[in-house]
Amino acid sequence: QVQLVESGGGLVQAGGSLRLSCAASGRTFNRAAIGWFRQAPGKERDFVAAIIWSGRVPYYADSVKGRFTISRDNTKNTVFLQMNSLKPEDTARYYCAADDTLGPVSYSKYGYDYWGQGTQVTVSS
């Protein structure tokens, strides 16, 4: 199993940056793919980015490509989401999720078994 805790959210002006962290515990973290999702009020929980266990291959939603960077440090059991050039439409609650089945990376929330509580990101215009 994997336990996840997100941090780093906050209020930022458009064009600014934030760095989210997802701290994980559990025996299977180092083999888990980690995904970031976001959910705005009244909307679906959407895929943002994911990274496989080795950290070598990142995956991004088209809406964040070139602005967000996902990385992981398995020695610290932490995954990061660096968010640059933030836009008001990036406002949402951001969740990290883990899939420790060693299958292909999923772009769907249903592909992940473990979730954190989320951290709020608000981008003002």
Side-chain angles (χ1 to χ4, degrees):
Q1 288 192 346
V2 182
Q3 294 80 43
L4 305 167
V5 178
E6 303 93 335
S7 63
L11 173 63
V12 64
Q13 288 188 331
S17 298
L18 283 174
R19 188 192 197 201
L20 305 185
S21 298
C22 174
S25 60
R27 293 183 303 162
T28 58
F29 170 77
N30 285 350
R31 74 175 196 188
I34 302 294
W36 283 98
F37 288 76
R38 64 187 181 187
Q39 188 168 20
K43 295 190 176 181
E44 293 290 320
R45 188 169 296 189
D46 292 330
F47 174 81
V48 175
I51 192 165
I52 63 171
W53 66 271
S54 68
R56 286 199 292 262
V57 182
Y59 300 81
Y60 298 101
D62 289 342
S63 59
V64 306
K65 280 181 182 176
R67 300 189 298 124
F68 291 12
T69 302
I70 188 171
S71 61
R72 68 189 291 165
D73 185 342
N74 285 346
T75 66
K76 298 181 179 179
N77 283 10
T78 303
V79 174
F80 304 98
L81 185 68
Q82 178 67 43
M83 306 187 296
N84 299 329
S85 303
L86 283 162
K87 304 175 181 180
E89 51 263 44
D90 294 318
T91 295
R93 191 164 186 84
Y94 284 69
Y95 299 86
C96 66
D99 168 22
D100 64 354
T101 62
L102 293 178
V105 166
S106 176
Y107 290 78
S108 168
K109 61 185 180 182
Y110 300 108
Y112 297 82
D113 297 315
Y114 308 103
W115 291 84
Q117 294 301 306
T119 185
Q120 179 67 33
V121 172
T122 303
V123 185
S124 64
S125 58

